[in-house]
Amino acid sequence: MRLRLDPAGRLDHAGLLDRRGFLMGAAALVAAGPLGASNLRADPLAEGWLATAGMGEGFAAVGLDGAFAATTAAETATRLHGIEASPTGPLAVAVGRRPGQIALVFDRRKGGVVATLAPGAGRVFSGHGRFTADGRLFLTNEIERPGESAHVMGRGVVAVRVVDGGFAIVSEWPSGGDGPHDLMQSGAALVVANGGIEPNTPEARDAEVTGSGITLLDPASGAVRGAGRLPQDLASLSLRHLARDGSGGTVVAAQDLLKDGEARPLLFRIASDGALSAFDAPDTEWRVLRGYVGSVAYDPSGRYVACASPRGNRVAVWQADGRFVGAVPLTDGCGLAAGREAGTFVAASGYGEVILVSAGPEGVGIAARRTGGPRFDNHMVRIS
């Protein structure tokens, strides 16, 4: 059987729906945890998940409770991208991109905009920012405007902002490359994914090499501690989104500049020195992702990694050692985060659908789903 939520949030026993035609017995137990009424709190923005979404004619940061019901936290006329919750307080930040002129600070418990941030002079936000573990600083990847130069995205800057100082910039570090997108502290390093030339942009026209790479920075000083590049046969890939397992393990997901039908890996493990090693999957599985991974996450146990591809209309799952496990369909699905239980992920789509993905030794299944939500956008993060 499949556990399904109807639009009112009730569990609906509707029979299995996933591409393998099975639902693991463990998935039913998993679904009973996050979806059971006893786990819901009165304040839907105090725990659960945060996501970005289209709302009416505008956009918003939204909170999802244990039943995946969405509550608007903060609204804006500008499209938002990555979203991050403070580890020590109620603040959260949603960062815009393209045009990348604004980041929205909001109270995730009470709702409401607290402040809006602008990038440094002559720069734009890349769409991502991260709090430090103590919650005192917020780091944003920012891109210098490159002027009229062809095939150049702009050099990257990591802006270090003090939260209690109104998110004022107190230090700036080179990101180590062009077009930085995501950044994340993992283990002893601040990992920056410098995407280089971004696929499907004017700068990408006629380009075949992105110039992408990984830079490891000292999280206290910004000094370079390591770097990683892809081999020449994968030079068309733009390294964009990061995930960590909490024990120093880090992965990066890619998007392909070329549309030549070649099967190229889109998920890589990052070693402690920055070296990159590809995850494994059959060529057919890489091809079906259509050269585009929009989000990546570890499950709570760190044993599984999932990628969401809105162009491939699926969520694919690997073991953390790089072995492909399986995939489930999700039309225009991109938002992705860890679930509450080992082996689970929560994924959301631009059609207002949220699914609970469950992975185990037997494969991958959809344990529960809810429809009727807002137009979920690129990213989602779990909060607790």
Side-chain angles (χ1 to χ4, degrees):
M1 297 179 66
R2 176 186 57 167
L3 294 181
R4 179 188 176 103
L5 285 173
D6 67 15
R10 298 182 295 266
L11 286 176
D12 173 31
H13 300 272
L16 184 63
L17 178 64
D18 73 81
R19 73 182 186 89
R20 291 177 178 268
F22 71 90
L23 178 62
M24 296 162 286
L29 297 176
V30 168
L35 302 180
S38 63
N39 287 285
L40 303 184
R41 291 178 53 164
D43 184 351
L45 300 180
E47 65 173 65
W49 296 266
L50 295 175
T52 55
M55 302 284 288
E57 298 300 315
F59 304 90
V62 299
L64 297 176
D65 65 15
F68 303 153
T71 301
T72 301
E75 296 183 80
T76 176
T78 303
R79 185 178 181 183
L80 304 170
H81 189 73
I83 192 162
E84 175 87 347
S86 170
T88 59
L91 294 183
V93 183
V95 184
R97 70 181 293 260
R98 296 169 68 177
Q101 299 289 351
I102 189 174
L104 204 66
V105 183
F106 63 97
D107 188 314
R108 63 180 172 84
R109 290 178 179 157
K110 298 178 181 178
V113 177
V114 174
T116 58
L117 311 179
R123 303 197 298 260
V124 294
F125 286 125
S126 75
H128 287 278
R130 303 286 182 180
F131 285 95
T132 53
D134 58 12
R136 294 190 312 107
L137 304 175
F138 187 73
L139 312 181
T140 52
N141 265 346
E142 302 182 12
I143 304 173
E144 295 176 352
R145 291 191 179 93
E148 300 300 323
S149 300
H151 303 321
V152 175
M153 295 303 293
R155 300 295 293 175
V157 174
V158 177
V160 182
R161 299 166 179 267
V162 177
V163 173
D164 287 344
F167 288 81
I169 297 174
V170 295
S171 188
E172 296 180 348
W173 306 329
S175 74
D178 289 345
H181 192 61
D182 204 355
L183 76 167
M184 174 180 291
Q185 183 165 347
S186 182
L190 176 66
V191 184
V192 181
N194 290 293
I197 295 175
E198 181 180 348
N200 308 297
T201 60
E203 293 83 359
R205 187 174 301 151
D206 300 324
E208 296 184 355
V209 176
T210 63
S212 183
I214 293 294
T215 304
L216 305 184
L217 302 180
D218 185 298
S221 68
V224 176
R225 299 301 186 210
R229 292 273 181 171
L230 294 171
Q232 188 60 35
D233 62 339
L234 299 178
S236 64
L237 299 184
S238 173
L239 300 171
R240 305 199 66 75
H241 292 111
L242 298 162
R244 63 190 172 200
D245 66 2
S247 301
T250 318
V251 293
V252 61
Q255 297 169 13
D256 201 344
L257 196 68
L258 301 179
K259 297 178 176 64
D260 56 5
E262 290 293 320
R264 297 183 179 91
L266 299 174
L267 181 62
F268 300 85
R269 186 180 300 102
I270 304 173
S272 58
D273 62 355
L276 297 162
S277 55
F279 275 49
D280 186 46
D283 284 354
T284 53
E285 295 294 339
W286 291 125
R287 287 194 183 95
V288 79
L289 298 179
R290 298 181 61 189
Y292 191 99
V293 170
S295 194
V296 61
Y298 276 93
D299 83 305
S301 73
R303 295 197 300 268
Y304 297 95
V305 179
C307 288
S309 173
R311 295 185 183 173
N313 298 311
R314 66 207 289 106
V315 177
V317 181
W318 285 258
Q319 288 185 353
D321 62 7
R323 186 179 71 84
F324 182 73
V325 179
V328 295
L330 182 61
T331 302
D332 194 33
C334 194
L336 181 69
R340 287 183 176 167
E341 304 293 336
T344 65
F345 302 89
V346 176
S349 84
Y351 290 95
E353 186 173 19
V354 184
I355 63 172
L356 180 68
V357 179
S358 182
E362 296 86 1
V364 182
I366 297 176
R369 70 172 71 231
R370 183 182 185 121
T371 58
R375 304 185 308 274
F376 292 105
D377 215 315
N378 292 76
H379 291 292
M380 176 184 290
V381 65
R382 180 188 170 195
I383 55 177
S384 59

